[in-house]
Amino acid sequence: MKQEIYIADKKNLSDVLNKPKLNKDDIIYLLNLTDEKDISELIRKADSVRKEYCGDEVHLRGIIEFSNYCEQDCLYCGLRKSNHQLERYRISPDEIIETARKISSAGIKTVVLQSGEDFYYKKEVVTNIIRNIKAACDVAITLSLGERNFDEYYEWKSAGADRYLLKHETANEKLYSALHSHQKLEERLTHLKYLKSIGFQAGSGNIIGLPGQTIEDIADDILLCKEFDCDMCSFSPFIPSPETPMKSIPPADLKLTLKTMAVARIVLKNVHIPATTALSTLSPEGRKLGLTVGANVIMPNFTPDEYKDKYRIYANKKTYDPVKYVEDLKQMIHSMGRKIGTDKGHSLKKNY
Ligand code: SF4
């Protein structure tokens, strides 16, 4: 143990940042940086990797949170089925398709369909939603519907869905099992592998600041995204929901969240990384900070107003008028010397 600390202390930051491939020790060393000058150097490197591998474009993805019903009971999530205080809603297929049209009219080229794990929307219903959106709008479709059946994934891919988000949340198997009473990490990874095998652009990622999570665990999260060759990776801060057993756990540390995003960008290079809504909730400057440390995606929320407040994964989630939000985003992005992506912003790993 003593020897490991000695080796870590002896590392030279510039040497580590210029290595072509970082190992787990390097990642832990970078995540543990505390000196402001060192952190600034880390961030500068992450931003230059982002520029080299992803360019200056920021891709917008319009989200529709179409159901807050969930059959799972994840301890950290306000949508968990044991939360009886939450008023539940489901949006009809027609309203989902209409909302997708609004996203497309705002000039956004990706529609993200997100919900809890809600089998009320059967395979055929989701298939029809995908087909109708594809027929009406020139957009890519990302699904974020939790763990569903393999035949459903296959049919939705065949119907035209392009991407699937299924975060692994934590690469620590014991922590995963403690947080998800009905699920196993191994199963989640089997789903991710299958999604990739049938041609989905696949997204994973973690939650930062979970109780009992170590810096080593976060390093493993980044390495797991590398091993799975994910197309999109989200590193979002834990924010407690007052309606869950984790209501008293403090929110994630902002600096650790930003360091994680920066290190992830350096390690994962040409993946899409969002500046998440949770990051904006943690800090009013969250979107801008995220874009500075390596992010190249922002996901404006187009869920119709009457439902927005009820998709309460965590507390104080930001709500806004999406059209005005997109206008503000455009100004902010231009002021940073970046530009809005004008195409569908597919994976940078293959030609789609
Ligand atoms: S994290 Fe996802 S699967 Fe878990 S309770 Fe929340 S919505 Fe459901």
Side-chain angles (χ1 to χ4, degrees):
M1 185 64 190
K2 258 186 187 162
Q3 197 189 0
E4 272 174 31
I5 292 167
Y6 176 71
I7 292 167
D9 285 342
K10 290 291 280 183
K11 281 183 192 290
N12 174 289
L13 178 57
S14 298
D15 289 349
V16 173
L17 290 177
N18 288 317
K19 281 172 79 167
K21 196 173 167 197
L22 301 187
N23 60 31
K24 186 170 170 183
D25 272 353
D26 298 325
I27 294 173
I28 291 170
Y29 164 76
L30 293 174
L31 291 172
N32 276 325
L33 292 176
T34 51
D35 184 276
E36 290 299 332
K37 270 203 297 200
D38 290 346
I39 295 173
S40 297
E41 197 175 332
L42 167 71
I43 289 171
R44 269 197 302 279
K45 176 69 181 181
D47 199 43
S48 76
V49 173
R50 184 273 308 156
K51 193 173 174 68
E52 181 182 351
Y53 286 88
C54 311
D56 282 333
E57 292 188 326
V58 178
H59 301 286
L60 303 185
R61 325 283 204 201
I63 304 191
I64 311 169
E65 297 159 337
F66 66 86
S67 164
N68 69 353
Y69 281 83
C70 189
E71 297 192 6
Q72 294 300 340
D73 219 15
C74 311
L75 286 191
Y76 47 83
C77 178
L79 304 196
R80 66 197 304 264
K81 72 172 175 191
S82 299
N83 180 9
H84 301 297
Q85 294 169 59
L86 183 67
E87 191 187 330
R88 306 280 172 169
Y89 71 87
R90 291 187 173 112
I91 303 183
S92 71
D94 284 350
E95 194 170 2
I96 296 170
I97 295 159
E98 191 45 42
T99 310
R101 283 182 199 272
K102 286 185 185 152
I103 292 172
S104 178
S105 301
I108 295 179
K109 296 280 193 178
T110 293
V111 170
V112 182
L113 300 177
Q114 188 164 64
S115 69
E117 236 172 77
D118 185 4
F119 284 83
Y120 172 88
Y121 295 84
K122 298 200 181 329
K123 177 169 75 176
E124 298 71 24
V125 175
V126 177
T127 301
N128 281 330
I129 293 170
I130 293 167
R131 289 218 172 103
N132 277 297
I133 292 175
K134 282 283 186 172
C137 318
D138 180 25
V139 292
I141 294 181
T142 302
L143 302 176
S144 176
L145 314 181
E147 286 181 20
R148 300 283 302 234
N149 298 321
F150 284 19
D151 65 316
E152 293 180 309
Y153 297 143
Y154 189 84
E155 178 156 326
W156 298 336
K157 180 76 189 71
S158 306
D162 301 274
R163 310 178 193 136
Y164 206 102
L165 300 176
L166 191 65
K167 285 174 59 159
H168 69 269
E169 317 291 9
T170 172
N172 178 327
E173 218 172 319
K174 274 197 188 145
L175 183 55
Y176 188 97
S177 295
L179 297 167
H180 307 92
S181 47
H182 308 303
Q183 295 168 297
K184 295 255 170 301
L185 177 61
E186 199 184 331
E187 278 168 29
R188 175 136 306 202
L189 299 181
T190 305
H191 281 247
L192 256 182
K193 268 186 207 152
Y194 180 72
L195 288 163
K196 278 190 69 75
S197 76
I198 58 171
F200 270 112
Q201 299 167 47
S204 192
N206 77 346
I207 302 174
I208 298 150
L210 294 167
Q213 183 186 50
T214 63
I215 291 293
E216 286 79 0
D217 291 336
I218 296 176
D220 284 335
D221 289 329
I222 295 171
L223 288 168
L224 189 146
C225 290
K226 174 97 182 150
E227 182 191 330
F228 274 73
D229 196 22
C230 292
D231 301 284
M232 301 94 74
C233 298
S234 164
F235 302 91
S236 53
F238 168 75
I239 297 173
S241 162
E243 295 160 347
T244 67
M246 284 171 59
K247 61 183 175 197
S248 308
I249 305 289
D253 178 68
L254 176 63
K255 214 169 260 179
L256 178 59
T257 305
L258 298 173
K259 282 191 290 182
T260 302
M261 291 172 71
V263 177
R265 170 56 72 202
I266 294 167
V267 174
L268 303 173
K269 298 192 165 55
N270 60 346
V271 296
H272 290 306
I273 297 180
T276 60
T277 308
L279 184 57
S280 301
T281 303
L282 196 62
S283 157
E285 290 289 297
R287 292 173 315 186
K288 195 168 187 176
L289 290 170
L291 291 177
T292 310
V293 300
N296 69 328
V297 169
I298 293 187
M299 302 166 85
N301 190 346
F302 279 74
T303 306
D305 285 347
E306 59 190 294
Y307 311 111
K308 247 179 206 162
D309 281 347
K310 297 175 193 150
Y311 203 86
R312 287 202 302 268
I313 292 180
Y314 50 80
N316 305 319
K317 190 173 147 207
K318 293 270 173 249
T319 53
Y320 44 75
D321 167 26
V323 175
K324 183 174 179 315
Y325 182 80
V326 169
E327 285 314 309
D328 290 350
L329 269 181
K330 284 180 181 165
Q331 281 185 23
M332 183 193 76
I333 288 165
H334 287 138
S335 75
M336 296 174 75
R338 308 268 293 267
K339 52 192 176 194
I340 302 278
T342 51
D343 61 12
K344 295 194 177 82
H346 281 311
S347 170
L348 298 163
K349 302 204 167 189
K350 287 185 206 149
N351 288 326
Y352 285 95

